[in-house]
Amino acid sequence: SDAFKVGLASWMEIGGHVGTVVYQRGKNYVTAGAYVSRLIGIAATGFNVSSTNYRVLSDETVDILQMDAEMGVTGPGFNTGNGWGVDLGFTFQRKVEDAKGYVPHSRQSECRYFDYRWKFGMSVLDIGSINYSVNSFYRGLENVIARYGDMDNESPSEVGEVGDIV
């Protein structure tokens, strides 16, 4: 098999939005916004296989003839990791009429809506990371030879027991 990676993660976000008008002149109107969030880890698993040779014997049994890989697992739980995330975006609008001094949904603009001829927007989403460090382990696997069968009967109760199966 060619090299491959598998990653799974779950987390919660607590955050808030902010946005503002950054430029307005004539009929040109530009707004920008951001969403900043604190990321709270729940669980994660990562598997990076650099080389593997295997044989499928049946729908229940796999022989791994050779494998070099790395794996990291963090157990399920609240706050098993933490980090920060941000989404950024802007919108350019070409208004139908002069938008000088226009502030959406304000008394200053008498709550009027200024229509646009066209608009263009762009966003960059999910910038950030989470460091899973609680109830976690990492294992490097070199020249692994194994037979996996009857995996339905494997039921680890702790994160460390997942490493015992591999």
Side-chain angles (χ1 to χ4, degrees):
S1 172
D2 293 334
F4 64 92
K5 296 179 181 182
V6 176
L8 305 165
S10 62
W11 66 91
M12 294 178 9
E13 296 183 19
I14 299 172
H17 299 269
V18 63
T20 189
V21 176
V22 294
Y23 178 83
Q24 65 189 129
R25 178 173 287 166
K27 296 180 181 181
N28 297 329
Y29 192 75
V30 180
T31 57
Y35 173 72
V36 178
S37 59
R38 180 70 171 157
L39 307 175
I40 301 165
I42 306 288
T45 300
F47 202 57
N48 181 7
V49 177
S50 53
S51 68
T52 184
N53 187 4
Y54 62 91
R55 179 176 52 209
V56 178
L57 301 177
S58 70
D59 62 346
E60 296 178 354
T61 306
V62 175
D63 272 349
I64 297 179
L65 307 172
Q66 184 279 327
M67 179 173 63
D68 292 328
E70 300 171 296
M71 82 178 215
V73 177
T74 185
F78 182 75
N79 205 20
T80 58
N82 57 63
W84 291 94
V86 66
D87 301 339
L88 303 171
F90 79 93
T91 303
F92 176 88
Q93 295 181 26
R94 179 70 176 181
K95 296 290 190 180
V96 173
E97 57 186 285
D98 190 346
K100 182 177 181 182
Y102 173 61
V103 178
H105 314 292
S106 70
R107 289 183 184 171
Q108 173 184 338
S109 298
E110 300 173 346
C111 293
R112 287 183 42 218
Y113 173 73
F114 282 53
D115 205 3
Y116 59 88
R117 287 202 190 286
W118 57 271
K119 71 178 174 178
F120 171 81
M122 188 175 343
S123 298
V124 179
L125 305 176
D126 294 332
I127 302 167
S129 66
I130 303 174
N131 180 16
Y132 290 92
S133 56
V134 177
N135 196 19
S136 299
F137 80 90
Y138 164 84
R139 179 166 292 166
L141 307 168
E142 293 181 14
N143 294 317
V144 171
I145 298 171
R147 173 171 277 184
Y148 293 103
D150 197 23
M151 293 300 286
D152 290 338
N153 291 328
E154 297 290 347
S155 56
S157 61
E158 295 180 8
V159 173
E161 292 176 10
V162 173
D164 296 337
I165 295 171
V166 175

